[in-house]
Amino acid sequence: MPILEVKNLSMHFGELAALEDINLAVEKGEILGLIGPNGAGKTTFFNCITGFLNATRGDIFYKEQNITRFGPHRVCKLGICRTFQIVQSFNEMTALENVMMGAFCRHHLTGDAREKAEEILKFTGLQDKKNQLAGGLTLADQKRIELARTIATEPDVVLLDEVMAGLNPTETEEAIGLIQKVHEKGLTIIVVEHVMEVIMKISHRIAVFDSGELIVDGPPEEVVQDERVIKAYLGEEYHAES
Amino acid sequence: MQSAKQFTSIFGGVLVLFLVAPLIIRDTQFQHLMIMLLLFTTLSQAWNLIGGFAGQVSLGHAMFFGIGAYAAMAPLNQWGLTPWIGMAIGGLVAMVAAVIVGYPVFRLKGHYFVISTFAVAEVVRELFSNWDWVDGPIGLDAPLVEQGWRNFMFYHTKLPYHYTLLIFFAVVMFVAFRMERSRMGYYFRAIKQRPEAAQAMGVNITLFKQYAFIISAFFTAICGSMYGLYVLHIEPSTVLSLDISIKIVLIAVLGGIGSLWGPLLGATILISLQEYSRIWLGGTGRGIDLIVLGALIVIICVYEPNGIVGLIKRFSRKKRKA
Ligand SMILES: Nc1ncnc2c1ncn2[C@@H]1O[C@H](COP(=O)(O)OP(=O)(O)OP(=O)(O)O)[C@@H](O)[C@H]1O
Ligand SMILES: [Mg+2]
């Protein structure tokens, strides 16, 4: 049984079909890469799963439970947590407090939540910055805090929306390492990323969206050679290079 | 966030000050000022829970204040019911009112909450103005009853009002202090800063806004009861007025929105200004306090949006660096 399964999912904004009849399943412990050109519907896909948008049609199953109409907080409580493409730090809170916000999901006492958050900060290499306000940190650090507080909710599935966009090569390397560490903890990960090298490196499987449709779904080596993918996403240039 | 130690010492100091002040200074004008100060600090702190910490600005808190005032005064007036029971009823009714106002709008984004609190408060005032049982626009006078704690009426001394309010002030301050460092306090701040990120962290933001509003409404109603019993006359155009709603907000804004000591600082300035301009300038001074206040608010908004608390923080940071 897949841990997360989406059946015939469509999301329409008026005339625009941001998602059209998507069928996709994710196995427990898998890292699924999700790629596609700008406006392909990747973020919309995350928004539907996490309850920020109500799908026009279709169903979403998590551990065999239909969660299609669940609100965001319920989805999080069940064990699916996401990051935001445009960072959404709690700017007026410290790094520690940001991560505590995630920890409060399972630990209702402040002391317990703080303990859990300290542990996650260590795990993500943020302990030096724990008393700094999140709003004053670099983009790389803020993205890392978002990942940290996401893990702090103790999810089974995490949805990462371009956690490496805007990072320099060293920071990207660190972020990749961190995602792999998170995966080793047994989490299932769906990761949206534009940089092909990154996606190729970390994904077990890749799904390609184009104009709201799932056009290809398979192992990384196959996906990069697929005609439709090359045409839709990678462009002639990448084709010529490889 | 202030450390617990720091809070406790300031809190202790403030309590001692309020404990001894009316015993040393027997001037009734001054005692009246202290009572108003305690009342409006507590009111503003109650507002601060929803408006400051959770960031949901209410411009209709007069409805809870008025409900509390009427709940204590009307049954006392009509049936001789002890106002303590009236107070409890007022608190409960205010909580129900908070649910009725909050339920339809807390699930929406944007400014619906501000608008609806404002509108509902106006409606509530109209209702009371047209309600014969509470003498409509004329309002209610406290009946001449035996003085004492049962009726919460004291004709020759202000001290019982002062100390009752002091206890209530202490309770509300303590609740705010505890709340700030509990899960609920973190959730309120998160809802104010990034509602969507809060949702992603598993926060039912609709529910937590509702909690903040209910608690706030309850405390505000109790303040209303105390006020009615103290001034002995209430009417819709005073206890249910937009004036009251605005004053509560202004105190918090002036002192520092969403901070524990903001209400006390704001009230100290605003209430002293108001009371002393009334005493010194009499009728001719009408409105001068408002002009000064308006100027202060403009300065605060331009120079330090976090109010006096923000100024103090900025100043102490500079000093530490120097
Ligand atoms: N709330 C919304 N209302 C209306 N249209 C929307 C909304 N959200 C997304 N869209 C539209 O849906 C389409 C898919 O957007 P989405 O953000 O999912 O793309 P994406 O694959 O994440 O792109 P990017 O790589 O740029 O992040 C776009 O055309 C976008 O304009
Ligand atoms: Mg996107």
Side-chain angles (χ1 to χ4, degrees), chain A residues 200 203-207 216-226:
Chain A
M200 290 291 291
S203 309
H204 303 155
R205 186 160 64 100
I206 293 178
V216 181
D217 172 10
E221 320 76 57
E222 278 175 33
V223 167
V224 275
Q225 281 163 12
D226 192 287

Side-chain angles (χ1 to χ4, degrees), chain A residues 76 88-92 97 110, chain B residues 181 189-190 193-194 200 202:
Chain A
C76 173
Q88 292 233 21
S89 305
F90 300 112
N91 289 334
E92 310 286 312
E97 290 175 321
T110 310
Chain B
R181 44 214 66 221
R189 283 158 69 207
Q193 292 174 32
R194 296 268 188 203

Side-chain angles (χ1 to χ4, degrees), chain B residues 43-285:
Chain B
L43 265 176
S44 185
Q45 188 69 281
W47 180 90
N48 206 19
L49 296 178
I50 175 91
F53 291 104
Q56 310 297 307
V57 172
S58 158
L59 286 182
H61 261 49
M63 78 176 116
F64 307 126
F65 188 75
I67 285 171
Y70 273 96
M73 291 281 273
L76 174 68
N77 202 308
Q78 307 283 3
W79 310 321
L81 181 75
T82 167
W84 298 104
I85 295 182
M87 220 179 257
I89 295 171
L92 287 178
V93 174
M95 286 160 84
V96 172
V99 174
I100 294 171
V101 178
Y103 185 79
V105 287
F106 277 143
R107 55 197 61 241
L108 307 174
K109 288 180 201 164
H111 298 294
Y112 295 100
F113 180 66
V114 188
I115 297 161
S116 70
T117 50
F118 169 78
V120 175
E122 292 298 293
V123 171
V124 171
R125 193 185 57 201
E126 278 304 307
L127 283 177
F128 276 82
S129 301
N130 291 294
W131 192 6
D132 292 337
W133 191 63
V134 295
D135 283 347
I138 304 160
L140 294 172
D141 285 307
L144 262 178
V145 288
E146 197 186 329
Q147 63 170 332
W149 288 100
R150 185 203 169 272
N151 291 326
F152 199 55
M153 284 291 157
F154 302 91
Y155 299 119
H156 307 295
T157 168
K158 290 183 188 299
L159 292 185
Y161 300 104
H162 179 91
Y163 288 112
T164 311
L165 267 167
L166 181 58
I167 292 170
F168 187 51
F169 159 78
V171 168
V172 174
M173 280 303 292
F174 185 71
V175 167
F177 165 75
R178 290 298 305 219
M179 195 216 66
E180 196 185 26
R181 44 214 66 221
S182 72
R183 180 172 80 127
M184 194 182 270
Y186 279 83
Y187 278 9
F188 288 170
R189 283 158 69 207
I191 288 169
K192 178 181 183 175
Q193 292 174 32
R194 296 268 188 203
E196 296 201 327
Q199 285 180 295
M201 299 288 96
V203 183
N204 184 344
I205 62 172
T206 316
L207 188 68
F208 275 88
K209 286 185 214 169
Q210 191 68 73
Y211 286 158
F213 200 32
I214 291 173
I215 300 169
S216 176
F218 176 79
F219 288 147
T220 306
I222 306 285
C223 286
S225 300
M226 304 238 176
Y227 176 80
L229 294 163
Y230 172 64
V231 300
L232 305 176
H233 173 79
I234 58 170
E235 58 185 57
S237 65
T238 55
V239 293
L240 285 163
S241 65
L242 184 60
D243 268 24
I244 292 277
S245 296
I246 301 274
K247 202 185 281 179
I248 296 171
V249 181
L250 285 187
I251 289 170
V253 171
L254 189 64
I257 232 171
S259 85
L260 279 178
W261 294 108
L264 180 61
L265 290 169
T268 305
I269 291 181
L270 193 141
I271 300 298
S272 322
L273 197 65
Q274 176 189 303
E275 292 299 320
Y276 279 107
S277 72
R278 200 168 51 86
I279 295 165
W280 289 337
L281 303 167
T284 50

